[in-house]
Amino acid sequence: MGVSILNIYVGNIAWGMTEEDLEALFAEFGSVTSANIITDKYSGRSRGFGFVEMEDDAAAEAAIEALNETEQSGRAIRVNQAKPREDRD
């Protein structure tokens, strides 16, 4: 049985937050596989949301429960399980 990786959506991220900050925030709950902040492809600025992947479902659920609607860098972040991306034609 392979390792299941849970993908977590993080919204309303402060403009100054880095991927390292995001990873450190979630690392308190367990092993973080990746942390990505989505940026505008033209300006390079944060689009205010990102995704974190965690190896352990229980740790990911604990992180979602603990961090959703908490204030980080002056903004109340939204944290929930990411929905699968829709294929675009």
Side-chain angles (χ1 to χ4, degrees):
M1 188 164 153
V3 174
S4 114
I5 295 179
L6 188 64
N7 197 16
I8 302 166
Y9 166 83
V10 186
N12 204 33
I13 295 173
W15 302 120
M17 186 174 245
T18 66
E19 290 179 344
E20 291 78 20
D21 295 335
L22 194 57
E23 182 175 348
L25 187 62
F26 281 82
E28 294 178 35
F29 298 91
S31 178
V32 174
T33 308
S34 70
N36 297 303
I37 293 177
I38 307 305
T39 56
D40 181 84
K41 67 180 175 182
Y42 300 108
S43 70
R45 279 194 57 197
S46 167
R47 292 187 55 201
F49 69 96
F51 297 92
V52 174
E53 290 183 339
M54 296 184 76
E55 285 182 18
D56 182 55
D57 284 355
E61 292 293 342
I64 291 168
E65 189 71 31
L67 294 172
N68 188 39
E69 300 297 329
T70 62
E71 190 174 307
Q72 304 296 328
S73 302
R75 310 241 347 228
I77 62 172
R78 287 186 305 278
V79 183
N80 51 50
Q81 188 168 345
K83 295 172 178 58
R85 188 171 174 172
E86 300 285 322
D87 286 334
R88 296 183 192 164
D89 291 332

